[in-house]
Amino acid sequence: MKAKTFKGGIHPHDCKHYSNKAAVEDFPAPEKVIIHLSQHIGAPALPIVKKNDVVKKGQKIAEAGGFVSIPMHSPISGKVIQIAKFPHPTGTIQQAIEIENDGKDEWFSKLKDEENYFNLSVDEMKNRIKNAGICGMGGAGFPTHVKLSPPENKPIDMIILNGVECEPYLTSDHRLMLERPEEIIAGLKLIMKIVSAKRGFIGIELNKKDAINLMKEKLKNEKNLNVVPLKLRYPQGAEKQLIYAATKRKVPAGGLPMDIGAVVQNVGTAFAIYESIRFQKPLINRITTVTGDIVKTPKNLRVPIGSSMSEMLDFCGGTNEEIGKLISGGPMMGFALPQIDTPISKTSSGIVFLSKKDVDTVHEQPCLRCGRCVDACPMNLVPTFLAETVRNGMYEEAKKMNINDCIECGSCSFVCPSHIQIVQWIKVGKLEVGKLAKKANEK
């Protein structure tokens, strides 16, 4: 099978065998959920409920806090217990709404099947996506209605669905493509209609040949829709790398995909878009992989947003040994969490549990100038120099070295024989460069 890819990157073991054969199971509605007000890029949502309010399934409980924001909805019927700060999947503590389940499973508004959904106006489609509270479900969390509203001087001619799922361990997108291909394709067509794109692609890596073959079969009579098989290489799922691999178009430094006429959406987001337009269903659940070598029965679960990670692990039978590390997301770009009772969010594609022996405890050593990080960097940066520049407080120099182009994929840290925490230093540097820019704007 002929496959494409991009320059740079790495090839870690994908570790997907733990859960890639596990069909999606429904996780039972929990006794309580914790709905964070910030599950996306942009302004946090604003609560419109208070303590002791009774809410129903699908009811809006928080309004979007601005244009670049999304509303939140309750995934269960029950009572608001409190609005307080709770552990967040990014490892921080953030404001959230706690709801106790009444066990009635009553919908706020019964879902309707609108069979002629594709004939709706573009404005109505975007309005339904906005009202459903959809954001990028591959992990970035950018509000979808904003992404599908490019300026008039940025025409879009192609949509790329991201079915790459290059992060090790995660299989939620893989299972969704195998089990709901028609809905994903319908979502792709809706996105194309919204932005007037003429071509659509679905990028999938070769470790998911069953999904590639299935999607090809489903698209065999579609002239302007194609599956793009991709070689196994991390971070192939990053927007700029995926666009280049699929089309050879390059997003300019500091630019966005819309600058070259492209929009990228995750396959899970396409599925949510389809449900929001056809059924006016809010985004209240998602598929999340619970996996790792110590999990007794790794699974792909359809989970109410706000469910506890500890309860999800219990549903998978727990672990065979003591947990060494809990990661929200994949091991390359995910967040190590200190608390197992953290609730999942709209961007929680997976939870990985590692044993103590799998946790890297080696200490950082001086740079060997081996250049492996340069070869691995998919953005053509010089990662170790950037890290040293930031470590020495030379933030203006870091800016000149295009530190903001770093996508924080972690490839440099992965290959570094000196175990230098390159990405962490770059993250610090980007924050400091941002402060410099803010000060400059205030003058």
Side-chain angles (χ1 to χ4, degrees):
M1 187 178 290
K2 189 176 180 181
K4 301 179 177 180
T5 191
F6 63 99
K7 181 179 177 297
I10 56 178
H11 188 189
H13 193 296
D14 69 9
C15 296
K16 295 182 184 291
H17 58 284
Y18 294 111
S19 57
N20 61 2
K21 302 296 183 188
V24 175
E25 291 184 43
D26 285 318
F27 178 72
E31 292 186 0
K32 69 174 184 180
V33 293
I34 295 170
I35 309 299
H36 276 103
L37 299 175
S38 186
Q39 302 186 37
H40 54 280
I41 289 175
L46 304 173
I48 55 174
V49 294
K50 60 183 183 304
K51 183 178 178 179
N52 293 327
D53 277 359
V54 174
V55 299
K56 293 186 178 179
K57 186 175 180 179
Q59 180 177 336
K60 187 190 293 183
I61 55 175
E63 292 275 18
F67 178 64
V68 185
S69 183
I70 54 173
M72 303 297 162
H73 304 78
S74 177
I76 57 174
S77 60
K79 186 170 72 175
V80 176
I81 301 301
Q82 60 177 331
I83 301 175
K85 291 188 174 180
F86 290 91
H88 189 273
T90 58
T92 57
I93 303 293
Q94 297 194 28
Q95 201 79 0
I97 301 172
E98 182 180 16
I99 301 172
E100 184 180 61
N101 195 346
D102 62 9
K104 297 178 181 177
D105 196 36
E106 289 182 329
W107 277 88
F108 179 70
S109 178
K110 195 172 181 180
L111 300 182
K112 299 175 183 176
D113 183 358
E114 194 160 338
E115 293 184 359
N116 296 321
Y117 64 96
F118 199 77
N119 294 328
L120 293 170
S121 70
V122 167
D123 285 344
E124 176 61 20
M125 289 181 179
K126 287 201 285 190
N127 202 39
R128 292 187 181 191
I129 292 170
K130 181 179 179 181
N131 290 338
I134 299 174
C135 60
M137 296 175 71
F142 196 81
T144 301
H145 67 280
V146 179
K147 202 170 187 178
L148 298 183
S149 303
E152 289 185 2
N153 63 345
K154 303 283 185 184
I156 304 299
D157 67 350
M158 65 177 179
I159 302 298
I160 302 177
L161 283 196
N162 188 348
V164 176
E165 202 167 46
C166 59
E167 271 274 6
Y169 289 96
L170 307 186
T171 57
S172 54
D173 287 347
H174 185 184
R175 292 309 311 181
L176 182 64
M177 288 189 286
L178 289 178
E179 298 177 33
R180 309 298 287 270
E182 290 89 356
E183 291 90 337
I184 291 172
I185 293 169
L188 171 58
K189 291 180 177 178
L190 288 167
I191 297 168
M192 292 171 65
K193 177 175 179 178
I194 290 170
V195 299
S196 302
K198 302 300 181 188
R199 294 184 296 162
F201 303 93
I202 305 176
I204 308 173
E205 282 194 336
L206 289 181
N207 58 355
K208 295 177 269 295
K209 287 182 179 176
D210 48 1
I212 291 173
N213 292 332
L214 179 60
M215 284 296 185
K216 281 188 172 181
E217 174 64 24
K218 297 293 181 183
L219 297 179
K220 64 182 180 183
N221 295 321
E222 303 281 355
K223 293 182 179 178
N224 58 346
L225 303 181
N226 296 99
V227 176
V228 182
L230 299 164
K231 294 180 181 177
L232 271 66
R233 187 170 294 273
Y234 176 88
Q236 193 122 242
E239 280 192 338
K240 294 177 181 177
Q241 284 64 41
L242 175 56
I243 292 171
Y244 180 78
T247 69
K248 299 303 179 191
R249 292 188 188 178
K250 286 187 178 180
V251 179
L256 297 171
M258 71 170 69
D259 294 328
I260 56 168
V263 165
V264 179
Q265 292 284 359
N266 175 264
V267 291
T269 310
F271 180 76
I273 287 171
Y274 162 77
E275 288 200 317
S276 72
I277 292 176
R278 178 161 183 169
F279 304 106
Q280 298 192 57
K281 182 184 176 185
L283 182 55
I284 56 174
N285 54 27
R286 65 154 298 140
I287 299 174
T288 300
T289 303
V290 181
T291 184
D293 60 341
I294 60 173
V295 177
K296 287 185 178 177
T297 311
K299 295 182 177 183
N300 298 290
L301 302 177
R302 186 179 294 103
V303 192
I305 304 296
S307 298
S308 164
M309 294 181 184
S310 62
E311 293 180 18
M312 293 165 65
L313 177 62
D314 290 342
F315 190 72
C316 295
T319 59
N320 291 312
E321 57 184 273
E322 188 177 354
I323 299 170
K325 193 173 188 178
L326 160 61
I327 302 171
S328 170
M332 298 301 295
M333 294 187 74
F335 299 89
L337 300 182
Q339 292 176 274
I340 194 173
D341 58 348
T342 302
I344 68 153
S345 73
K346 296 180 180 183
T347 60
S348 297
S349 51
I351 313 166
V352 182
F353 294 88
L354 301 179
S355 65
K356 288 194 170 183
K357 71 177 186 300
D358 290 329
V359 178
D360 189 1
T361 56
V362 295
H363 298 290
E364 190 172 301
Q365 300 294 321
C367 176
L368 301 174
R369 299 289 188 267
C370 65
R372 293 183 189 177
C373 61
V374 178
D375 293 336
C377 180
M379 296 304 295
N380 299 317
L381 300 174
V382 187
T384 187
F385 284 0
L386 277 172
E388 283 188 7
T389 304
V390 173
R391 197 198 301 256
N392 293 322
M394 300 164 63
Y395 306 126
E396 285 286 359
E397 290 300 315
K399 182 182 177 183
K400 292 176 184 175
M401 296 167 67
N402 299 319
I403 191 171
N404 282 331
D405 281 352
C406 173
I407 59 173
E408 303 175 14
C409 66
S411 296
C412 51
S413 297
F414 182 83
V415 299
C416 180
S418 294
H419 307 288
I420 298 173
Q421 300 299 307
I422 300 173
V423 175
Q424 279 66 29
W425 282 112
I426 290 177
K427 286 181 178 179
V428 171
K430 290 168 84 170
L431 287 174
E432 295 299 331
V433 168
K435 290 178 184 176
L436 290 177
K438 188 177 180 181
K439 282 183 182 178
N441 290 333
E442 290 172 350
K443 289 181 180 177

